[in-house]
Every structure is written in structure tokens, then in C-alpha cells.
């Protein structure tokens, strides 16, 4: 197999100055006449020295982006704009989503694991569908690599399919999300104008069996397009799987400088184009090829949005949880596990002081043990250095405990790294004098710089490499929703006697909720007639009455988000019990629960709805459960958890349901509100008719500000009460002992 080759993106300043002065090379005659149509001088100037030709509207000769283009690439601050086209779904993130709607926590292992499997894993090993490829190589001294290719179709750049290109861009945007966060990232999209140039570049690379940014005009398959594509693209001769064509550039193996990384992580980049060509005529590895990944990379960055530059740095490895597969190429390319770490200071308002460049140091620890730092260097506002991820002072490669690989098949326990930079200081500019040389300038009146930037500080961040194939020990996360969950236990039948859990999401952002339905597992809790299995169907309640079904589940491990359920301690105890994670915009939804194993013989089941979102500001504000209400084990028990003091209304209805077309409604309800405590349970209130002024309640509000929410029948029970944070149950029974369909609801009310 061929040795893979990577070329650093970018042109040295001196070389760039020379390129700006050169004229457009003349395409050699007879080499590839189909593709010898020269570009304009302006087009060529953009690719050899951006910013030195006269710009025009939408002209690629501009070195920097227009303000509107930069703004369009940013995540909108208005949620109504950001999530305007977000569709409710069973699931979390989808590869087809607009990246601007991504909103998960990079510092939450379970969410990072879920995002990896939803977004990256489906296309991880995807290879292009090529329309042209190399069929043979023959020795040729005129070829840059000494061998000249014969192509399946002569004089044809070929093309790379859109599915593969879009997968590469998806992975790139994922990396940019990790680097900059959900609300401070500019996402890239394809620029179709550049596709011919990157495809011409890989045609030349494959044709000459060589990788360079400056193809010679006398080489086979040369064209102006190939020169432009090679000159300012990231180039590689490697496997053409999506992961190799994207994540390897970030690892930047064997490079003396993280140039690919800087290109892909440029905070102002907005456009991208990718091309590929298959180059293994022997068929040893048909995934092998040449690729070019172009990123519109401005020479001159604009001013930072942050007045304090330490809020605008980008680091690698990224902060938060990182699936080990994203660093796998470190072990493939470099068996000693040396990985180039870097920090780039993106703040355009202030510059690094001379003292920082001379004196800054860095320490790195892995699980509390300090690791050696090798080859610390500066370049282009970036401090980079090498760390051996597998370093162990007491062991050598190949012995027990030495981390021998980063791919999931062999990675062990989570590895947490803490990186700390010491002695960082910024200045507002520098002045020069013949006698004193360069001197830092600190302007206290610069409106674009926070004075704290002039002080000497440390900067620290943490990242944890983890195996995405391993689920963490179950633990429910801390969520911002004040009502974090509800449960309803009842007899699950069929038709009108199925159990229906309703819930309302209020706010401006989509929210992740976990919906779980248990039946067989209740036997371990003393239930003598549990349901044989459960099925969940989730519906969106719409104003037009169509109420579309969003999805269903009849076994929690069949869903794509089962790892998230397991990590958050929300997985059912039996495989034939159902559970889903749904991501839902503000609105009203229902979850219908039935027993698919034996619908003619009702059994007791429980449906639960929990917030599974640590990021969204939206809230669960209304929750309800409808089912058959009996007595004893067959009563309807609704549980709910709140995390801050609030006033709630607990309402149980039966006769009122007949107006909605429900048959067999319970004639009267009795409601008991209980607080669940660690040392015992406390009954807070009992009500058999909402008009009763039950001691300890605020039921008088049914005659004032909450009159519109009073039940429709005097025989229906309800309670208004102020509660402290904790876990509560509302037990609803048929007041006359005759079972029937009823509903219990819990709503947050104004205090």
C-alpha cells in the first residue's frame, strides 16, 4: 500500500508575495487540451494572492468576507429565526439538520456520544462514487512523481458525488461546533464555483502520483484549474473515507506546523469545496485516492466579537468530551501517539505581547499525572507543541496499561487531560524605534479591548477522550427545567382505555424529552398484574386537528438514542418495554401507551416523561395522564418532580371527558397528593371535589384568577397548592369504586 502523504495548507508570506507578482502561467499545449481554458487574471490572482485584485460584488478576489456573508454564516441570536424550520422528531440531531440548530452540551459525555452516533457514524466510512479513476501507472520522467497515470476516461477531471462531499462538510461543521460552541460558530457551506478547481487538482495529483501545492506547468495533466485547486487547498494522498478526509487534517500528522487545522478552524471561513480521485489501479485498497479540501480562508481576520481575547481562543484537542475515534489517526500515522496540541489566539482587537511570546509555558496532565511537553513553538498567532497521549513513566509500549490504540476496539477507560497555559498577556499594538526595537503598547482607552487583557493571566481547559462504544455509569443529569418529569401508572387497555400522557413545552427553543413506558418490570415492584409489554406512539397536537404521529417504539434498544437513555438512567428494565428520546419545539404533545403483547387483557403499566436537556431554556410546564381509573393497584398514580418552589394545579377529570367523545368515563374522582421523602411519605391534601376548600390548598383561586381552569364537573377533584422542590405523587381513584376513563393533570401556575 502507498504511504500516505499530507501537505500543509497555506503559502509562506515571502512565497505569497512572489506569487502576487507573477503572471498567469500559459497552459502547455498538447498535455490536456480539453482543460486549457485559462481563468481571468483576477480569478488567478485570488487563488495565488487573495486580496490584491480589484474586488467586486460576490467576486472571489476579495480577501475578506462581506459583513453580510459573515453574518449569514453565524448562528442567529433570535430563536424564532434559528429554529424556524426545525421539525419535531423522535430522536435528537439528524445529518439533514441545519447545523445552526445544533444545540448539545460538549461537556456532557452522554450527549457527545449521542451526537457522534447520530451525525458522524452513519457516514464515517463512506467513500466517494467516482466517475473517473486511475487504471494504470507507467514510468514517466516528466511526471512530478516519476509515474504518469492512465485514467478510465481520458481528459476528464471526473466528479465526486454530492453525498460524499456533503458528509465531509458535515464532519467539518461538527469539528467547528466542538471548537467554537453552539452559539459562537460560523458554519461552512459548499461553494459550487470552486468544485471544478478542486476536482482539477485531484486529477493532477492522481495523474502525477505526487502531492504539491505548486504543480509545474510542464507536467502531465497540468491546467490553470489544477494550479488554482492545488495552490490553496488542503491536499492528501490517503484513504478516501469521510473520516480520513476530514479528521486526519485536524490531527495533522507528520506536519511541523498545524496548517491544515488552522485552515479548517479559521473562525471566519464560510465556504468550502471538496474533490477526490481514486488512485489504486492494483485494487489493493480501493478506498485509496487523492483529495483536495478547499476552505475560503481570509488572509486578514476581522476584529473579534470579544473585547477579552482569552474568550476568543481556539484549542486542539477541543475542550469537552472527545470520542477517541476522532483522534484515531494519531495512532495510525504515528504509533508513538505524539499529537500536536495547539492554541490559536483569534482576537483581532488585541495582539499578543512580546513577553507572552518569549515566556509563556504550558502544562498538561492526564488523570492527574503531568505529561512531558515536546517542541513548543510559535507561528501565526498559534502556540503549538507535542504531547504523547500514551506516555507512562513506568511502562513501555506493548506492556500492560500502555494505551496501544485510539480506535474504539481497544481504547480503555476515559482519559481526562487538563491543559494550562501560564503567562498570557496582550497589548493594543507595538511601536518600533531604531534604538529600542519593538515595544508593546498598552492603550487603556481602546474601546475594543477589555483592560483585563493587559494583565498577565493563565488559561486552562479540560478535555476527556472516551470510547463511544462504552456507555457511562447511569446518572440523571441536572436540567434547567423546573418540572423535570412526570409519571402516570394505570391499567393499560386498548381503544379509549389506553394510557395517554400529555405534556406541554413552553419557551423559545426545542427541548429534548425522554418518554419511557414500563410494564413487565413493575412485577419487581410488587405489581401483581403488570402489562406484558409496552408500545409508545408520540403525537404533536396541532391547531388544525391533524395531530401527526411523530414516531413509535416497542423496544427501547431498537431506538437510535438508546445510549443516551442508558447514560441518563432512563432505560427500562426489560427489553420489550419502550422508551424514546424526542426533540420537540414548544407546543403540546401526547404519548399513547398500549400493550402490543396482549391488548385484550389489560395490565398495569407506567408512562414517564423526563426532561433530557441540559442546554435548552424551554420548560415542561404542563403534564397529564389519561387512563382507566379504578382503586388500589388499579388507581391512576401520577408522579412529578420539581426543582424549585412553585405553585401547581393538580386536576383530575372524568365526566368532563364525555364532551370530548371519550366513552366509559369515570363518574367521580378522588385525588390524594403525597410528597415522597427519603424517610417516609407525607400526605399533603385529599380532595373529592374541586369546590371543597381543602385545608392547605389555594382552591379559592378557582373562583378568581384561575376560574377558567376549574374542572367542568363538581364531582371532579382538583388541588391548587404551593410546593417546595421534591418528588410528588397524585393518586386518583374512582370515588364510587366503579372504574372508568379519567385524566390527571399537573400545571405550573403563577404564585
Amino acid at each position: 500500500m502507498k504511504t500516505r502523504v499530507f501537505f500543509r495548507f497555506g503559502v509562506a508570506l515571502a512565497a505569497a508575495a512572489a506569487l502576487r507578482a507573477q503572471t498567469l502561467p500559459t497552459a502547455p499545449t498538447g498535455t490536456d487540451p480539453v482543460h486549457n481554458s485559462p481563468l481571468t487574471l483576477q480569478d488567478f490572482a485570488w487563488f495565488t494572492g487573495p486580496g490584491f485584485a480589484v474586488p467586486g460584488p460576490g467576486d472571489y478576489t476579495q480577501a475578506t468576507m462581506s459583513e453580510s456573508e459573515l453574518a449569514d454564516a453565524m448562528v442567529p441570536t433570535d430563536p424564532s429565526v434559528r429554529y424556524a424550520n426545525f421539525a419535531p422528531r423522535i430522536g435528537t440531531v439528524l445529518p439533514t439538520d441545519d447545523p445552526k440548530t445544533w444545540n448539545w452540551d460538549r461537556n456532557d459525555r452522554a450527549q457527545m456520544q449521542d451526537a457522534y452516533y447520530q451525525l458522524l457514524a452513519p457516514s464515517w466510512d463512506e467513500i466517494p462514487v467516482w466517475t473517473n479513476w486511475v487504471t494504470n501507472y507507467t514510468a514517466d520522467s516528466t511526471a512530478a512523481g516519476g509515474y504518469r497515470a492512465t485514467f478510465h476516461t481520458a481528459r476528464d477531471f471526473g466528479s465526486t458525488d454530492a453525498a460524499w462531499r456533503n458528509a465531509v462538510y458535515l464532519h467539518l461543521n461538527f469539528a467547528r461546533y466542538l471548537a467554537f460552541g453552539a452559539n459562537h460558530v460560523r458554519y461552512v457551506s459548499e461553494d459550487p464555483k470552486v468544485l471544478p478547481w478542486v476536482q482539477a487538482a485531484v486529477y493532477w495529483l492522481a495523474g502525477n502520483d505526487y502531492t504539491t501545492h505548486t504543480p509545474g506547468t510542464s507536467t502531465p495533466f497540468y491546467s490553470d484549474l489544477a494550479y488554482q485547486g492545488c495552490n490553496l487547498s488542503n491536499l492528501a494522498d490517503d484513504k478516501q473515507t469521510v473520516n480520513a478526509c476530514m479528521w486526519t487534517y485536524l490531527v495533522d500528522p507528520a506536519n511541523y506546523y498545524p496548517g491544515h487545522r488552522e485552515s479548517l478552524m479559521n473562525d471566519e471561513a464560510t465556504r468550502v469545496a471538496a474533490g477526490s480521485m481514486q488512485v489504486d489501479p492494483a485494487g489493493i485498497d480501493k478506498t485509496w485516492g487523492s483529495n483536495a479540501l478547499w476552505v475560503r480562508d481570509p488572509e486578514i481576520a476581522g476584529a473579534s466579537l470579544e473585547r477579552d481575547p482569552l474568550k476568543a481562543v481556539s484549542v486542539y484537542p477541543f475542550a469537552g468530551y472527545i470520542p477517541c475515534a476522532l483522534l484515531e489517526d494519531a495512532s495510525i500515522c504515528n504509533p508513538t501517539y505524539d499529537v500536536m496540541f495547539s492554541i490559536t489566539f483569534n482576537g483581532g482587537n488585541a495582539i499578543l505581547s512580546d513577553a507572552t511570546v518569549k515566556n509563556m509555558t504550558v502544562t498538561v496532565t492526564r488523570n492527574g499525572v503531568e505529561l512531558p511537553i515536546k517542541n513548543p513553538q510559535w507561528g501565526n498567532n498559534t502556540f503549538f507543541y507535542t504531547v504523547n497521549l500514551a506516555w507512562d513513566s513506568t511502562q513501555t509500549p506493548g506492556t500492560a496499561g500502555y494505551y496501544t490504540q485510539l480506535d474504539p476496539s481497544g481504547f480503555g477507560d476515559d482519559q481526562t487531560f487538563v491543559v494550562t497555559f501560564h503567562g498570557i498577556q496582550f497589548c493594543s499594538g507595538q511601536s518600533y524605534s531604531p534604538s529600542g526595537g519593538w515595544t508593546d503598547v498598552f492603550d487603556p482607552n481602546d474601546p475594543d479591548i477589555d483592560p483585563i487583557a493587559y494583565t498577565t493571566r493563565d488559561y486552562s481547559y479540560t478535555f476527556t477522550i472516551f470510547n463511544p462504544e462504552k456507555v457511562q455509569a447511569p446518572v440523571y443529569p441536572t436540567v434547567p427545567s423546573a418540572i423535570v418529569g412526570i409519571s402516570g401508572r394505570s391499567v393499560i387497555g386498548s381503544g379509549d382505555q389506553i394510557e395517554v400522557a400529555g405534556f406541554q413545552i413552553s419557551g423559545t427553543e426545542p427541548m429534548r424529552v425522554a418518554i419511557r413506558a414500563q410494564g413487565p418490570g413493575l412485577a419487581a415492584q410488587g405489581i401483581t398484574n403488570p402489562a406484558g409489554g409496552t408500545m409508545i406512539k408520540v403525537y404533536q397536537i396541532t391547531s388544525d386537528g391533524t395531530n401527526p404521529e411523530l414516531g413509535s417504539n416497542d423496544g427501547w434498544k431498537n431506538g437510535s438514542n438508546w445510549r443516551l437513555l442508558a447514560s441518563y438512567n432512563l432505560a427500562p428494565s426489560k427489553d420489550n418495554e419502550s422508551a424514546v428520546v424526542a426533540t420537540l419545539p414548544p407546543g403540546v404533545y401526547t404519548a399513547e401507551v398500549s400493550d402490543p403483547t396482549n391488548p385484550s387483557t389489560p395490565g398495569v403499566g407506567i408512562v414517564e416523561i423526563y426532561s433530557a436537556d441540559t442546554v435548552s431554556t424551554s420548560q415542561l410546564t404542563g403534564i397529564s395522564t389519561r387512563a382507566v381509573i379504578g382503586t388500589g393497584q388499579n388507581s391512576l398514580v401520577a408522579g412529578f418532580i420539581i426543582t424549585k418552589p412553585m405553585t401547581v394545579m393538580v386536576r383530575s377529570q372524568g365526566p368532563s371527558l364525555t364532551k370530548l367523545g371519550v366513552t366509559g368515563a369515570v363518574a367521580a374522582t378522588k385525588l390524594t397528593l403525597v410528597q415522597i421523602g427519603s424517610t417516609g411519605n407525607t400526605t399533603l391534601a385529599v380532595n373529592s371535589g374541586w369546590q371543597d376548600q381543602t385545608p392547605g390548598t389555594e382552591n379559592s383561586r378557582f373562583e378568581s384568577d384561575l376560574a377558567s381552569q376549574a374542572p367542568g364537573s363538581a364531582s371532579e377533584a382538583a388541588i391548587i397548592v404551593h410546593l417546595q422542590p421534591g418528588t410528588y405523587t397524585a393518586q386518583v381513584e374512582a370515588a364510587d369504586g366503579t372504574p372508568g376513563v379519567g385524566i390527571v393533570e399537573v400545571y405550573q401556575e403563577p404564585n
Side-chain angles (χ1 to χ4, degrees):
M1 183 178 292
K2 300 169 68 175
T3 302
R4 59 190 191 170
V5 178
F6 302 89
F7 267 67
R8 181 177 65 84
F9 176 93
V11 182
L13 292 180
L19 284 170
R20 293 173 192 131
Q22 76 180 51
T23 59
L24 182 68
T26 302
T29 60
T31 56
D32 195 13
V34 173
H35 298 294
N36 281 343
S37 301
L39 302 176
T40 67
L41 285 171
Q42 275 197 341
D43 280 337
F44 189 76
W46 158 247
F47 280 94
T48 55
F52 289 85
V54 179
D59 192 340
Y60 281 71
T61 56
Q62 298 178 87
T64 56
M65 313 306 180
S66 68
E67 290 299 321
S68 61
E69 184 176 346
L70 288 173
D72 288 344
M74 285 291 289
V75 176
T77 56
D78 183 348
S80 66
V81 176
R82 180 177 183 181
Y83 300 108
N85 299 313
F86 186 88
R89 80 282 301 268
I90 299 300
T92 50
V93 289
L94 303 173
T96 54
D97 284 341
D98 181 347
K100 294 175 184 177
T101 65
W102 291 351
N103 196 22
W104 73 85
D105 187 355
R106 297 169 296 167
N107 295 306
D108 185 300
R109 186 189 190 279
Q111 292 181 46
M112 276 299 302
Q113 181 182 40
D114 180 74
Y116 168 80
Y117 276 104
Q118 306 312 312
L119 295 178
L120 302 187
S123 57
W124 189 257
D125 291 319
E126 184 176 336
I127 61 173
V129 177
W130 293 287
T131 60
N132 199 12
W133 54 89
V134 174
T135 60
N136 188 37
Y137 278 108
T138 56
D140 187 336
S141 60
T142 66
Y147 290 88
R148 177 179 181 143
T150 300
F151 287 95
H152 172 71
T153 303
R155 302 180 179 181
D156 182 8
F157 288 166
S159 63
T160 309
D161 64 297
W164 181 86
R165 301 195 315 267
N166 289 333
V168 171
Y169 309 149
L170 171 70
H171 284 235
L172 174 54
N173 279 327
F174 189 100
R176 293 175 69 83
Y177 183 99
L178 300 188
F180 300 110
N183 300 314
H184 303 283
V185 59
R186 290 186 178 97
Y187 292 111
V188 296
S189 58
E190 183 173 81
D191 195 322
K193 179 175 181 179
V194 184
L195 287 178
W197 298 328
V198 292
Q199 198 61 38
V202 296
Y203 179 66
W204 185 92
L205 299 176
N208 285 267
D209 193 27
Y210 193 68
T211 307
T212 179
H213 286 297
T214 54
T217 58
S218 61
T219 54
F221 311 108
Y222 177 87
S223 68
D224 300 332
L225 296 178
Y227 190 94
Q228 276 75 27
C230 289
N231 190 243
L232 283 184
S233 294
N234 300 283
L235 306 175
D237 176 25
D238 190 11
K239 290 179 178 290
Q240 297 303 288
T241 56
V242 169
N243 76 82
C245 289
M246 221 303 296
W247 296 101
T248 302
Y249 281 130
L250 290 180
V251 175
D252 247 358
N255 263 4
Y256 70 91
Y257 176 78
H260 297 108
R261 189 182 304 163
E262 283 196 351
S263 165
L264 272 58
M265 294 297 104
N266 183 294
D267 63 338
E268 289 198 351
T270 60
R271 297 289 183 264
V272 66
S276 173
M277 180 70 72
Q278 200 267 356
V279 299
D280 184 18
I284 298 174
D285 185 348
K286 293 185 178 181
T287 70
W288 207 269
S290 296
N291 71 71
L293 181 57
W294 176 86
V295 178
R296 190 172 183 191
D297 194 3
E299 269 194 348
I300 305 171
S304 170
L305 300 175
E306 299 286 354
R307 294 178 66 240
D308 179 3
L310 278 190
K311 296 180 180 179
V313 300
S314 58
V315 295
Y316 187 87
F318 307 121
Y321 280 90
I322 305 175
C324 62
L326 305 191
L327 288 167
E328 183 180 348
D329 273 343
S331 55
I332 294 175
C333 302
N334 187 349
T336 63
Y337 288 85
D338 282 349
V339 172
M340 188 186 298
F341 285 38
S342 63
I343 181 170
T344 300
F345 297 92
N346 298 315
N349 304 327
I351 64 174
L352 287 166
S353 69
D354 186 57
T356 298
V357 176
K358 291 179 179 177
N359 302 321
M360 192 181 82
T361 60
V362 61
T363 57
V364 178
T365 64
R366 184 192 65 220
N367 293 347
V369 178
E370 187 169 346
L371 304 180
I373 303 298
K374 297 189 290 186
N375 305 320
Q377 300 178 67
W378 280 99
N380 197 23
N381 235 30
T382 296
F383 179 70
F384 54 101
Y385 53 98
T386 301
V387 176
N388 189 308
L389 295 182
W391 181 85
D392 192 318
S393 62
T394 63
Q395 296 173 332
T396 56
T399 62
Y402 193 93
Y403 305 107
T404 56
Q405 54 188 8
L406 285 167
D407 63 279
S409 66
F411 191 78
D413 296 331
D414 294 2
Q415 304 295 316
T416 298
F417 296 76
V418 179
V419 183
T420 305
F421 300 93
H422 309 272
I424 302 173
Q425 183 185 40
F426 298 88
C427 58
S428 56
Q430 293 178 328
S431 62
Y432 179 80
S433 68
S435 59
W438 290 100
T439 304
D440 293 336
V441 175
F442 303 92
D443 181 1
N445 299 315
D446 190 322
D448 294 325
I449 301 177
D450 188 328
I452 196 173
Y454 301 146
T455 63
T456 301
R457 294 175 290 168
D458 293 347
Y459 177 82
S460 183
Y461 79 96
T462 300
F463 69 91
T464 299
I465 305 175
F466 72 99
N467 187 345
E469 294 182 358
K470 294 185 177 181
V471 175
Q472 69 181 27
V475 58
Y476 184 71
T478 300
V479 297
S481 180
I483 301 178
V484 300
I486 180 178
S487 63
R489 195 198 76 190
S490 69
V491 174
I492 299 176
S494 58
D496 282 342
Q497 297 186 355
I498 63 175
E499 185 170 10
V500 181
F503 56 99
Q504 177 176 314
I505 296 174
S506 299
T508 59
E509 301 176 334
M511 181 179 182
R512 291 192 187 100
V513 296
I515 306 171
R516 177 173 67 179
Q518 300 183 82
L522 297 180
Q525 301 177 28
I527 301 299
T528 57
N529 60 328
T534 61
M535 171 183 282
I536 293 173
K537 292 184 178 181
V538 182
Y539 295 85
Q540 181 184 22
I541 306 303
T542 57
S543 58
D544 61 5
T546 56
N547 304 339
E549 180 182 335
L550 302 180
S552 62
N553 177 268
D554 60 359
W556 68 278
K557 286 187 177 180
N558 298 330
S560 63
N561 307 108
W562 66 268
R563 297 174 187 84
L564 189 61
L565 290 166
S567 296
Y568 280 176
N569 203 24
L570 296 174
S573 59
K574 302 295 183 180
D575 289 352
N576 65 337
E577 295 175 322
S578 55
V580 297
V581 178
T583 308
L584 307 171
V588 179
Y589 303 87
T590 63
E592 295 186 356
V593 179
S594 59
D595 181 356
T597 63
N598 193 3
S600 62
T601 305
V604 175
I606 185 172
V607 59
E608 302 158 283
I609 299 167
Y610 292 94
S611 169
D613 205 316
T614 64
V615 178
S616 176
T617 59
S618 293
Q619 301 274 315
L620 280 171
T621 54
I623 45 187
S624 65
T625 302
R626 194 200 81 183
V628 175
I629 298 175
T631 59
Q633 285 192 2
N634 294 332
S635 62
L636 173 58
V637 181
F640 58 98
I641 304 169
I642 61 176
T643 59
K644 68 178 182 180
M646 67 173 65
T647 298
V648 300
M649 177 188 67
V650 184
R651 181 173 66 183
S652 62
Q653 299 184 85
S656 298
L657 298 181
T658 59
K659 300 176 183 178
L660 302 175
V662 175
T663 59
V666 68
T669 60
K670 177 183 177 181
L671 173 62
T672 302
L673 181 64
V674 177
Q675 182 174 16
I676 308 300
S678 57
T679 58
N681 302 333
T682 303
T683 299
L684 301 180
V686 179
N687 181 270
S688 297
W690 64 273
Q691 293 175 331
D692 296 340
Q693 299 302 311
T694 304
T697 71
E698 301 176 18
N699 278 23
S700 60
R701 294 179 65 180
F702 281 131
E703 300 174 357
S704 57
D705 62 313
L706 298 180
S708 63
Q709 299 184 37
S713 171
S715 63
E716 295 171 328
I719 294 171
I720 301 172
V721 63
H722 189 78
L723 300 176
Q724 297 300 312
T727 302
Y728 300 86
T729 63
Q731 179 177 340
V732 183
E733 298 180 282
D736 61 1
T738 303
V741 177
I743 186 171
V744 60
E745 304 160 281
V746 180
Y747 293 95
Q748 181 179 358
E749 301 289 0
N751 291 325

